[in-house]
């Protein structure tokens, strides 16, 4: 016997409400406990609008509707690869402090935005329905917000020229409201990670070898990933919970950390503080505090709503940093706490906020410039106070995914430095293969995770060249105004501008707009599969000095050329770059 769901299949089947104009072509209807209720719209400094609904202790639904016009796609923090238009019977999201944000952006084929919004509260759990209403020929977004004592508020950005431009306005608002964790210089330098290079087969000698080589390439941080801890073997998590070093792999963990740090590299270690496996020595003590199974294999999840759990997690993390001289922690699987969402025993987000506030304070007491890495999906504005390294989600050897995920992360990142997923490539492959991975993470802090002592000479030269070029261009790549284009185009042409210098990264065969008279230097990275780029000179043209470099950094051409307005085909090796500098 089947049970039919009573949820409406499409938004047109819901109880009808009266919509009112909000801004641009957006219309809104607001309900509290299922009944239409009043709302206000105010203007904030900088051009943002704020919708406020004062309905204390009642759940609120906000319905947004936009005529389809020339809509091309819809971006939101959980979009992943689904960034085109879906039907409203398909679009669903559940967001929380550790899984995205109640935010979204509808844009047209020119890249201009049609609807951009974000909830001001990043902590509460919110459910969303969104998509094309086939019945109404509109794009709709419905947000269901839980009961709360204070007014519910949504930010809106008026129509902007691009998704990135609209998101900059939201980031500026959150940056002014959220006390972001300080970002030390070491959070903004290349990282060496052990994960893809070794997985769990790590030991002190191997790590020290890689740390020495990584320092020579310009890395300033080492992250010791999963496998350092006792019972850290196998790809499951049945041994998690004790968080003590494996005595066979690291017989003197504090001494090992000190030796690595003496080489000029800061040292971080991986921890998944909510995971509790049945093989752990502490399992019996804490099993009652972890009644739910994790979504990852082999472990239970400690419930952060329990004060005993919060105290335990803080104590564990502080002990690791303090006892072994660590500079920080890679804090993994915080989103596993959401297995308890909706069980009626309290809000997960507020418990996590309390825990993470205590954790940051306790860690800063023993290490004022502590490094804390958070991972997508818990890298939104609400987490800005709790981490200063914001890493994109796992995508081993996938340069396209790393590009898309790092830029997605940066669109709403506040405070912390955005980091790539760890870079993995075939150490017997071509220089181009290595360069492709490095170029895919240009607009974030690169994390390298290959065995550096196995690289070919060409790959070693390639890695050294691109890390040095990234350091040189860091003001543009990390701090400049970045325009990546349409999300559904997977950011195939990314522009970063600061201090009179422009960096253009092109990832598909297309014309590249160039303005040689506007910038003192333009760096064009050819990440396509061809050995040339097609330039579209859009200003008055100029005579420029050019340097063309192969993936290894070897210069293949140095000359002066005249760039007249219009199209030009310029030979540039694939996975190489060309620098344009004014000759006057």
């Amino acid at each position: 016997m089947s049970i039919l769901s009573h949820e409406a299949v499409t938004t047109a089947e819901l109880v009808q409400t009266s919509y009112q104009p909000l801004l641009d072509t957006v219309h809104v209807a607001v309900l509290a406990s299922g009944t239409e209720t009043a709302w206000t719209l105010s203007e904030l400094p900088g051009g943002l609008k704020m919708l406020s609904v004062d309905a204390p202790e009642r759940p609120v639904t906000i319905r947004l509707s936009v005529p389809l016009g020339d809509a091309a796609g819809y971006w939101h923090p959980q979009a992943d690869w689904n960034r085109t238009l879906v039907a409203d019977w398909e679009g669903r999201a559940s967001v929380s402090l550790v899984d995205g944000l109640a935010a979204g952006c509808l844009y047209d084929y020119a890249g201009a935005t049609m609807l951009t919004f974000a909830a001001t509260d990043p902590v509460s759990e919110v459910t969303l329905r969104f998509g094309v209403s086939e019945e109404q020929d509109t794009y709709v977004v419905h947000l269901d917000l839980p009961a709360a004592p204070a007014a519910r508020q949504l930010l809106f950005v008026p129509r902007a020229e691009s998704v990135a431009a609209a998101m900059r306005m939201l980031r500026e608002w959150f940056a002014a409201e959220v006390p972001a964790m300080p970002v030390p210089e070491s959070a903004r330098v290349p990282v060496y990670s052990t994960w893809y290079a070794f997985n769990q087969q790590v030991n002190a000698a191997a790590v020290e070898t890689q740390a020495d080589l990584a320092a020579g390439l310009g890395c300033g941080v080492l992250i010791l990933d999963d496998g350092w801890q006792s019972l850290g073997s196998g790809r499951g998590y049945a041994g998690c919970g004790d968080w003590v070093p494996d005595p066979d792999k690291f017989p003197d963990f504090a001494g090992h950390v000190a030796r690595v740090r003496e080489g000029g590299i800061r040292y971080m270690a991986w921890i998944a503080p909510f995971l509790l496996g049945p093989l752990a020595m502490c399992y019996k003590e804490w099993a009652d505090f972890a009644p739910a199974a994790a979504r990852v294999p082999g472990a239970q999840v400690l419930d952060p709503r329990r004060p005993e759990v919060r105290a335990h997690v803080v104590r564990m993390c502080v002990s690791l940093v303090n006892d072994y001289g660590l500079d920080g922690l890679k804090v993994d699987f915080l989103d596993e706490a959401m297995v308890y969402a909706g069980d009626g025993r309290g809000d997960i987000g507020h418990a996590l906020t309390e825990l993470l506030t205590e954790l940051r304070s306790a860690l800063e007491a023993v290490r004022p410039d502590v490094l804390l890495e958070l991972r997508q999906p818990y890298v939104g504005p609400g987490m800005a106070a709790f981490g200063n390294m914001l890493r994109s989600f796992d995508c081993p050897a996938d340069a396209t995914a790393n590009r898309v995920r790092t830029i997605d992360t940066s669109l709403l990142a506040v405070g912390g430095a955005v980091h790539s997923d760890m870079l993995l490539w075939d150490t017997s492959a071509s220089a181009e293969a290595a360069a492709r991975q490095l170029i895919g993470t240009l607009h974030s802090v690169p994390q390298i995770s290959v065995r550096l002592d196995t690289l070919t000479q060409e790959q070693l030269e390639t890695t050294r060249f691109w890390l040095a070029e990234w350091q040189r261009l860091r003001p543009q790549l990390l701090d400049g105004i970045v325009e990546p284009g349409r999300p559904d185009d997977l950011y195939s042409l990314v522009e970063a501008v600061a201090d009179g210098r422009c960096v253009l990264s092109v990832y598909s065969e297309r014309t590249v707009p160039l303005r040689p008279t506007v910038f003192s230097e333009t760096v064009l990275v050819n990440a396509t599969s061809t050995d040339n780029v097609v330039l579209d000179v859009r200003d008055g043209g100029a005579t420029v000095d050019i340097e063309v470099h192969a993936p290894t950094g070897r210069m293949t051409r140095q000359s002066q050329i005249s760039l007249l307005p219009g199209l030009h085909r310029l030979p540039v090796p694939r996975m190489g770059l060309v620098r344009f500098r004014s000759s006057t």
Side-chain angles (χ1 to χ4, degrees):
M1 174 177 163
S2 64
I3 300 175
L4 298 178
S5 171
H6 295 292
E7 183 185 22
V9 176
T10 75
T11 57
E13 297 174 273
L14 299 171
V15 174
Q16 296 300 300
T17 57
S18 57
Y19 280 81
Q20 302 175 54
L22 183 68
L23 79 165
D24 299 330
T25 60
V26 181
H27 285 65
V28 65
V30 180
L31 301 92
S33 300
T35 303
E36 291 187 32
T37 192
W39 52 271
T40 60
L41 186 70
S42 56
E43 184 160 353
L44 303 180
L48 287 176
K49 311 282 187 179
M50 181 181 286
L51 173 75
S52 297
V53 182
D54 191 9
E57 306 302 345
R58 288 187 290 166
V60 169
T61 297
I62 299 174
R63 299 181 180 181
L64 306 171
S65 178
V66 188
L68 285 175
D70 198 22
Y74 178 70
W75 181 90
H76 60 100
Q78 295 180 337
D80 202 24
W81 301 112
N82 298 316
R83 50 192 64 221
T84 52
L85 302 179
V86 300
D88 66 350
W89 45 261
E90 182 182 3
R92 299 287 190 278
S94 297
V95 302
S96 65
L97 176 68
V98 289
D99 194 358
L101 176 72
C105 186
L106 179 71
Y107 54 90
D108 63 22
Y109 278 88
T113 63
M114 304 169 67
L115 163 68
T116 307
F117 71 91
T120 62
D121 174 14
V123 177
S124 298
E125 296 155 24
V126 179
T127 58
L128 299 95
R129 299 184 64 170
F130 54 87
V132 175
S133 171
E134 300 169 21
E135 292 87 352
Q136 306 296 332
D137 297 337
T138 58
Y139 196 89
V140 297
V141 179
H142 290 191
L143 301 94
D144 289 321
L145 296 91
R152 262 53 56 84
Q153 297 173 323
L154 285 188
L155 298 170
F156 289 89
V157 181
R159 187 173 175 87
E161 62 182 7
S162 69
V163 174
M167 291 299 160
R168 277 194 291 274
M169 295 180 67
L170 291 178
R171 288 204 312 273
E172 289 172 2
W173 186 88
F174 280 109
E177 296 293 321
V178 178
M181 189 173 182
V183 183
E185 174 67 12
S186 51
R188 292 165 47 85
V189 297
V191 173
Y192 183 83
S193 167
T194 64
W195 178 242
Y196 293 138
F198 293 93
N199 300 120
Q200 294 174 314
Q201 307 307 310
V202 288
N203 61 66
V207 172
E208 288 170 30
T209 295
Q210 300 304 314
D212 185 55
L213 294 170
L217 291 172
C219 293
V221 176
L222 179 138
I223 297 178
L224 178 64
D225 215 297
D226 187 6
W228 65 269
Q229 73 280 14
S230 179
L231 303 172
S233 60
R235 288 301 293 267
Y237 299 91
C240 287
D242 297 322
W243 306 112
V244 295
D246 185 312
D248 294 325
K249 297 176 180 179
F250 298 94
D252 177 12
F253 192 43
H256 158 72
V257 170
R259 286 191 294 274
V260 171
R261 295 184 81 249
E262 285 170 3
I265 287 190
R266 299 190 74 185
Y267 202 119
M268 301 172 65
W270 174 86
I271 186 172
F274 291 151
L275 298 188
L276 179 69
L279 300 182
M281 291 183 293
C282 67
Y283 180 77
K284 288 184 179 179
E285 179 184 358
W286 290 99
D288 290 344
F289 296 87
R295 290 169 292 188
V296 296
Q300 302 292 110
V301 183
L302 291 166
D303 186 344
R305 295 170 298 186
R306 303 286 297 271
E308 301 94 334
V309 167
R310 295 196 295 272
H312 170 65
V313 167
V314 171
R315 185 167 55 249
M316 253 186 337
C317 292
V318 171
S319 292
L320 270 178
V321 170
N322 199 38
D323 294 349
Y324 301 110
L326 298 175
D327 292 289
L329 298 172
K330 172 180 179 173
V331 187
D332 212 351
F333 296 124
L334 291 182
D335 47 333
E336 288 294 325
M338 295 311 295
V339 298
Y340 295 109
D343 66 0
R345 298 181 181 178
D347 185 87
I348 306 301
H350 288 92
L352 286 172
T353 299
E354 186 174 347
L355 186 158
L356 293 170
T357 300
E358 294 171 4
L359 178 61
R360 172 184 163 182
S361 177
L363 286 172
E364 289 180 332
V366 298
R367 178 74 73 179
D369 57 349
V370 67
L371 295 170
L372 287 177
E373 184 196 272
L374 307 177
R375 171 183 52 77
Q376 208 177 20
Y378 47 91
V379 291
M383 297 293 283
F386 311 125
N388 45 31
M389 298 165 65
L390 311 176
R391 184 176 67 82
S392 299
F393 192 69
D394 302 33
C395 51
D398 191 335
T400 300
N402 228 341
R403 174 178 83 246
V404 171
R405 288 174 177 169
T406 51
I407 292 175
D408 278 350
T409 300
S410 69
L411 287 177
L412 277 174
V414 176
V418 174
H419 282 237
S420 74
D421 183 37
M422 295 79 71
L423 299 187
L424 165 68
W425 65 78
D426 181 351
T427 55
S428 65
S430 65
E432 288 83 1
R436 189 183 309 280
Q437 300 299 322
L438 291 154
I439 292 169
T441 66
L442 272 183
H443 298 272
S444 63
V445 179
Q447 294 198 7
I448 310 297
S449 191
V450 291
R451 298 195 187 196
L452 298 173
D453 53 348
T454 67
L455 297 185
T456 65
Q457 185 60 34
E458 274 201 335
Q459 286 196 4
L460 190 61
E461 292 172 0
T462 299
T463 305
R464 181 176 289 108
F465 170 71
W466 283 102
L467 290 183
E469 189 70 358
W470 182 88
Q471 289 275 23
R472 189 179 77 89
L473 299 175
R474 189 176 68 166
Q476 291 72 40
L477 299 173
L478 291 192
D479 305 322
I481 297 175
V482 177
E483 180 49 68
R486 277 172 35 188
D488 62 310
D489 192 37
L490 303 184
Y491 312 126
S492 64
L493 176 64
V494 186
E495 178 186 79
V497 173
D499 304 326
R501 178 187 285 153
C502 175
V503 181
L504 292 165
S505 308
V506 58
Y507 298 91
S508 66
E509 295 179 43
R510 55 180 293 171
T511 59
V512 180
L514 193 71
R515 294 168 289 170
T517 64
V518 174
F519 304 105
S520 59
E521 179 185 11
T522 298
V523 179
L524 172 54
V525 177
N526 179 16
T528 74
S529 59
T530 63
D531 293 318
N532 58 73
V533 292
V534 178
L535 310 175
D536 181 7
V537 178
R538 292 192 173 179
D539 55 16
T543 298
V544 295
D545 297 319
I546 67 168
E547 288 181 7
V548 180
H549 292 261
T552 60
R554 180 176 59 87
M555 188 183 299
T556 61
R557 180 181 176 185
Q558 185 175 31
S559 63
Q560 190 175 86
I561 63 173
S562 179
L563 292 176
L564 300 175
L567 299 180
H568 303 260
R569 183 180 296 273
L570 182 67
V572 180
R574 67 193 72 184
M575 304 304 133
L577 62 79
V578 55
R579 300 184 184 120
F580 302 90
R581 294 189 176 100
S582 173
S583 61
T584 57

